Every structure is written in structure tokens, then in C-alpha cells.
């Protein structure tokens, strides 16, 4: 134990022929620690502590060495052994110094010189970490009751400096008031939008969140800069500061990358493992390497890749831009929708949406499709022509209608939680006034053929994709 040691002489006269179990005696550190007391105690070893003899003195009148004498007036049992223990306490009774080795008394009769006792300084218990202040900060809710949250859109909570609190709970937005005082949050009644949760698990998660944000909530520091909120119901919410992301165990699909166009159906993907490795695809070749993360700083090294030729010029350009970002020191963060943004040393970033774990199947309710007009926002990641309106309308009886921007279309569809299958669509025969409009119509109707994968994005858009690079993004 690497502590400074103080020494003092200990002279112990024993007047009765006997043996004692445990004899503990107190010794002195410097006068600078005063007021403190020295205490010497004799107790029985391997039995409840019983004081057989003790001695104490103040350090106000001097420091070490300091002699003391213990006198025993009762016979001691020679079958036992005797040891000395010394302690120094402060004016508040706190233990400051103590012996850390056994000092055995060799004789149990007559006057015995116990030699020199050595004490070491007792390290004070670390001060409790001050509770973090949450006012004025934005957080993502990353775990509820010790279980990581699920869903394609992050759960959020924002504590305003004006005493307002609000966020997104998985299905609905919520808001209300709060007061912060010395590590405690007191919430007023929260109000929420009333959208139904299609996924029962997401709904239960949202209910647990709202049940915890009631009454008085304890605030405590968590690991790696996180904040822990413990509700009156005992549920603990783990909050991660907005913008921070833990990459280990996550997978991502790249959707945008600087000025480089992403080829639909051949989007780059990347997976980060918990052992510091990453793998993925550029859309053409497989790649692998190592990474290390310190909060928002991510370092990539040892990057390797297969050497398959990319026949599509767009995919080759995409691969070059992507691998240039995954080199050296980068910055990583989450945007407001929970998408990963990684910025390379060259200042170019890519944005990627989270992919579900391999064991998780994300399905959506086909009932979300009817009831509104879906307007095309993007076609094959190339945008659409200004001032043109392309639409789809899904009816509950399996009919689909819409507009190509030049002509009306109609047909039928069937939908599961993950796929949407179109029958051959028919259109009116009106000519488009410009070749560009005609080409856009052709791309649109070519995409809407056969079976397509569908999903609702974190911000409520409808995304339809299928092989061959076809992708249609629509909004209500």
C-alpha cells in the first residue's frame, strides 16, 4: 500500500500471566492533523469485539513518536494470542490513520515491549458525483427500465430553460412543465397527441415513459456522459445527450453522401461490431476494418476491400466517395431523426438510416396506406421535375389510382407488413408536353411493377423499393 507511514514506540506492561486474543493500540500522526485522539484497545480475536484495555491521547500537545501503556487487571487466557491495533480519528470521528498489519504480542506476562506500530493513511471515500443539470439540454431516451428502446424513430426529451419539457415517445409527441432543484425534477401533468400505436410493443414503451415522467423524479449521472432519471414507480430512464451515438452493435444504410448520387438498390451499408471491427458493402465490393470510438470521435484503420470491378459508373463513384470518408479520423453524430452522420477528414459526410438487427423483423400495418393521397417526393434518388405532381392513392378494397404528372393511372395492389405487390397498371394515353416529363413518367410506371418492399420512414414518408435501383419516396 503506497501511503506515508508514521511511527511511534509502544510500551505495554502486562501484569498478569495470561494470553489475550486481540490487543489494538492507537498511534500518532503529525500535530497538523489535530485535534485528533490516539486510542489503544485490547479485544478478543475471532469473537465479538470486546474492549479489554485501551488508551487515548490528544495530538494537540505534540506529534509522533508517542509512547503509551496498556495495563490489564484481569487474568488472560494463555491459549489465546494477543495483537495490537492502532487508529487515529479526527474531531468528527472519521477514521484517518490505522495499522494495516498484525502486531502480535510475544509475551503474555510481565512488562512487554510491543515495539513500533506503523499506521497508514486511510483514503477518504470519493465524493458523490453531483447530479447533472438537465435544463437547457436535449436528450435521446436510449433505455427504459434497463431495456434498450426500439423503433425506427428515436425517443427524445428536451428540457427547456423556461421550465417546459417535451419530446417524442415512440408514437406521439408530448409536452408539459417541470421544475429542477438539487438533483430532482418535478413534473406537471404532461399532454400528448392521440395517434394510435400500430406496434403494441412501441405503445407499451411509450406508456412506460409517460408513467415515469410523473411527480418527483431523481436525477443521477450515468456512464459515458449519460443521465439517469428514476421515477416514483422505480423505473429508470437512460438519457443520452442529443447528437451522441454508440456505434457498437449497429448497422446503417447510406442514403445521402455529399454531392455524390446514391444508386438506388445499391446503397452502401456498414455494420459496427462490439469488438471494434466494421464490415459492409459499398454497393459493389465488400469492405472490412477496425474502428475505435471516443464519444463523437471515430478512428478507422486497416481498411480492406474486395476487388470486384464496378460496371456501373455511378456505383464506382459512390464507392470511391464512401471509402474516402472511412479513412483516418472522423466525426460521428445523430441527426434529429436518429440518422447517423459521419464526416471524414475531407469534410464530406454521409447520412445513413439505422437498419434493424438481423433477428428483428420490422413490419408495418397495411392499414396505414389508405386514407390519404401520397405525393412523390423523390424518384430513384434523382428528385422530380419542378412543378410536377406524381401521386398514389390506395383504397381499402385493394384498388390503387394516381397521377404520373401527365396521365392518370389505375390498378390493384395487395400488401403485407413488408411487401406491396402491384398488378399491371394502366394509364390514360395523353401525351406529355415535354420529353423530360415523358421520361419521368416512364421511370415512375417502371418502378411500380410487381412486388416492392415498403416501409414508413422515421419522419413519416412512404418508401417503395425493388431490385434494379427502383425507389419511390412519397409523403401524405
Amino acid at each position: 500500500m503506497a501511503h506515508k507511514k508514521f511511527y511511534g514506540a509502544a510500551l505495554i506492561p502486562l501484569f498478569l500471566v495470561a494470553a489475550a486474543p486481540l490487543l489494538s493500540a492507537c498511534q500518532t500522526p503529525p500535530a497538523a492533523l489535530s485535534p485528533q485522539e490516539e486510542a489503544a484497545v485490547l479485544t478478543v480475536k475471532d469473537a465479538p469485539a470486546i474492549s479489554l484495555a485501551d488508551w487515548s491521547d490528544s495530538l494537540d500537545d505534540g506529534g509522533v513518536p508517542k509512547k503509551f501503556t496498556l495495563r490489564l487487571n484481569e487474568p488472560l487466557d494463555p491459549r489465546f494470542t494477543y495483537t495490537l491495533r492502532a487508529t487515529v480519528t479526527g474531531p468528527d470521528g472519521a477514521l484517518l490513520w490505522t495499522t494495516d498489519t498484525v502486531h502480535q504480542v510475544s509475551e503474555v506476562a510481565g512488562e512487554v515491549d510491543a515495539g513500533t506500530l506503523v499506521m497508514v493513511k486511510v483514503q477518504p471515500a470519493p465524493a458523490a458525483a453531483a447530479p447533472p443539470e438537465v435544463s437547457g439540454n436535449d436528450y435521446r431516451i436510449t433505455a427504459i427500465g434497463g431495456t434498450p428502446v426500439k423503433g425506427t424513430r428515436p425517443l427524445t426529451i428536451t428540457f427547456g430553460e423556461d421550465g417546459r419539457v417535451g419530446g417524442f415517445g415512440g408514437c406521439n409527441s408530448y409536452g408539459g412543465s417541470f421544475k429542477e432543484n438539487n438533483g430532482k425534477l418535478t413534473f406537471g401533468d404532461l399532454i400528448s397527441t392521440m395517434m394510435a400505436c400500430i406496434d403494441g410493443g412501441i405503445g407499451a414503451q411509450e406508456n412506460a415513459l409517460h408513467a415515469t415522467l410523473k411527480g418527483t423524479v431523481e436525477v443521477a449521472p450515468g456512464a459515458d456522459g449519460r443521465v439517469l432519471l428514476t421515477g416514483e414507480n422505480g423505473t429508470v430512464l437512460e438519457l443520452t445527450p442529443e447528437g451522441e451515438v454508440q456505434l457498437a452493435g449497429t448497422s446503417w444504410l447510406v442514403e445521402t453522401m455529399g454531392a455524390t448520387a446514391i444508386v438506388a438498390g445499391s446503397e452502401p451499408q456498414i455494420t459496427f461490431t462490439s469488438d471494434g471491427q466494421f464490415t459492409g458493402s459499398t454497393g459493389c465490393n465488400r469492405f472490412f476494418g477496425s474502428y475505435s470510438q471516443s464519444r463523437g470521435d471515430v478512428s478507422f484503420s486497416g481498411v480492406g476491400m474486395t476487388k470486384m470491378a464496378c460496371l456501373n459508373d455511378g456505383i464506382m463513384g459512390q464507392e470511391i466517395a464512401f471509402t474516402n470518408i472511412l479513412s483516418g479520423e472522423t466525426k460521428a453524430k445523430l441527426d434529429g431523426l436518429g440518422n447517423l452522420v459521419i464526416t471524414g477528414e475531407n469534410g464530406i459526410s454521409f447520412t445513413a438510416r439505422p437498419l434493424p438487427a438481423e433477428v428483428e423483423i420490422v413490419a408495418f400495418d397495411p392499414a396505414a396506406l389508405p386514407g390519404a393521397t401520397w405525393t412523390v417526393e423523390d424518384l430513384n434518388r434523382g428528385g422530380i421535375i419542378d412543378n410536377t405532381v406524381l401521386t398514389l392513392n390506395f383504397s381499402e378494397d385493394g384498388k390503387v389510382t394516381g397521377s404520373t404528372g401527365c396521365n392518370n393511372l389505375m390498378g390493384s395492389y395487395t400488401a403485407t407488413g413488408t411487401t406491396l405487390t402491384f398488378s399491371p397498371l394502366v394509364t390514360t394515353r395523353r401525351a406529355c408536353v415535354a420529353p423530360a416529363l415523358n421520361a419521368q413518367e416512364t421511370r415512375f410506371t417502371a418502378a411500380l411493377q410487381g412486388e416492392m418492399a415498403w416501409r414508413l420512414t422515421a419522419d413519416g414518408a412512404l418508401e417503395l423499393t425493388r431490385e434494379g435501383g427502383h425507389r419511390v419516396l412519397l409523403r401524405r
Side-chain angles (χ1 to χ4, degrees):
M1 197 181 291
H3 301 296
K4 188 172 181 181
K5 299 185 178 182
F6 293 90
Y7 300 83
L11 181 63
I12 303 178
L14 299 177
F15 298 101
L16 299 175
V17 179
L22 175 65
L23 181 64
S24 45
C26 182
Q27 203 52 31
T28 43
L33 295 176
S34 93
Q36 298 163 358
E37 291 187 345
E38 298 185 47
V41 183
L42 180 63
T43 58
V44 179
K45 187 177 181 181
D46 297 328
I50 301 172
S51 179
L52 301 180
D54 62 75
W55 169 91
S56 65
D57 194 9
S58 172
L59 295 179
D60 288 337
D61 57 353
V64 295
K66 198 157 209 171
K67 295 184 178 181
F68 58 84
T69 301
L70 292 178
R71 289 182 172 82
L72 300 175
N73 298 316
E74 296 294 333
L76 299 178
D77 190 336
R79 295 172 300 173
F80 293 95
T81 58
Y82 296 85
T83 57
L84 289 169
R85 177 175 61 88
T87 61
V88 176
T89 59
D92 59 354
L95 180 64
L96 302 178
W97 298 80
T98 184
T99 48
D100 65 345
T101 57
V102 175
H103 297 273
Q104 185 170 328
V105 179
S106 57
E107 301 291 339
V108 295
E111 191 171 284
V112 179
D113 184 350
T116 301
L117 299 183
V118 178
M119 285 188 292
V120 297
K121 187 175 182 180
V122 176
Q123 294 299 309
E133 293 186 0
V134 300
S135 297
N137 293 314
D138 302 329
Y139 298 93
R140 286 180 295 108
I141 302 168
T142 47
I144 299 177
T147 302
V149 300
K150 62 178 182 177
T152 57
R153 182 175 173 185
L155 276 62
T156 62
I157 188 167
T158 296
F159 298 95
E161 295 182 350
D162 60 355
R164 305 298 298 173
V165 62
F168 179 72
C171 299
N172 292 277
S173 298
Y174 64 90
S177 63
F178 79 101
K179 293 181 180 179
E180 182 173 19
N181 182 33
N182 194 28
K184 297 181 185 295
L185 301 177
T186 303
F187 288 92
D189 291 335
L190 300 181
I191 59 174
S192 171
T193 57
M194 300 297 290
M195 288 183 62
C197 292
I198 297 174
D199 185 322
I202 299 294
Q205 179 176 270
E206 183 171 83
N207 291 338
L209 171 63
H210 290 172
T212 305
L213 299 178
K214 286 185 176 181
T216 301
V217 174
E218 301 279 347
V219 183
D224 299 323
R226 294 180 177 86
V227 175
L228 302 179
L229 304 184
T230 303
E232 293 180 347
N233 59 0
T235 300
V236 178
L237 306 179
E238 179 189 77
L239 310 184
T240 299
E242 188 64 81
E244 291 189 10
V245 57
Q246 292 298 316
L247 295 177
T250 62
S251 297
W252 307 86
L253 178 76
V254 176
E255 295 192 318
T256 63
M257 185 163 50
T260 302
I262 300 298
V263 179
S266 299
E267 298 91 341
Q269 298 186 32
I270 186 168
T271 295
F272 298 91
T273 63
S274 58
D275 60 355
Q277 303 298 306
F278 68 92
T279 60
S281 169
T282 66
C284 177
N285 282 286
R286 302 291 302 175
F287 62 85
F288 54 89
S290 302
Y291 78 97
S292 60
Q293 180 181 11
S294 176
R295 306 196 70 164
D297 296 319
V298 181
S299 177
F300 293 95
S301 61
V303 181
M305 192 167 59
T306 58
K307 299 295 185 180
M308 188 170 69
C310 304
L311 300 180
N312 184 303
D313 289 341
I315 294 180
M316 181 174 292
Q318 169 182 288
E319 178 175 273
I320 293 171
F322 184 57
T323 54
N324 282 342
I325 295 174
L326 299 181
S327 176
E329 305 299 323
T330 68
K331 297 289 186 180
K333 67 176 184 178
L334 291 182
D335 65 14
L337 296 175
N339 296 318
L340 172 65
V341 180
I342 290 187
T343 304
E345 293 179 338
N346 56 7
I348 298 175
S349 302
F350 69 73
T351 301
R353 65 175 171 87
L355 290 174
E358 291 183 3
V359 297
E360 180 183 358
I361 299 175
V362 177
F364 298 90
D365 188 349
L369 296 173
T373 296
W374 295 92
T375 302
V376 176
E377 182 178 274
D378 180 76
L379 185 58
N380 297 341
R381 300 191 185 277
I384 60 171
I385 298 173
D386 291 344
N387 301 317
T388 59
V389 180
L390 289 70
T391 63
L392 288 177
N393 287 276
F394 300 94
S395 65
E396 293 180 355
D397 61 359
K399 302 298 184 182
V400 60
T401 59
S403 171
T404 67
C406 300
N407 288 280
N408 296 326
L409 62 81
M410 63 198 72
S412 61
Y413 76 96
T414 57
T416 69
T418 57
T419 63
L420 195 156
T421 303
F422 292 97
S423 68
L425 302 178
V426 297
T427 65
T428 55
R429 307 289 292 178
R430 181 176 164 186
C432 298
V433 296
L437 294 176
N438 187 67
Q440 177 174 270
E441 179 181 74
T442 300
R443 291 195 303 273
F444 185 40
T445 56
L448 303 176
Q449 293 183 13
E451 183 179 290
M452 303 188 76
W454 77 279
R455 73 180 185 99
L456 296 176
T457 66
D459 56 350
L462 170 62
E463 183 185 56
L464 307 175
T465 58
R466 70 176 179 87
E467 292 181 354
H470 298 288
R471 176 183 183 265
V472 184
L473 188 69
L474 310 95
R475 292 186 186 277
R476 295 180 192 264

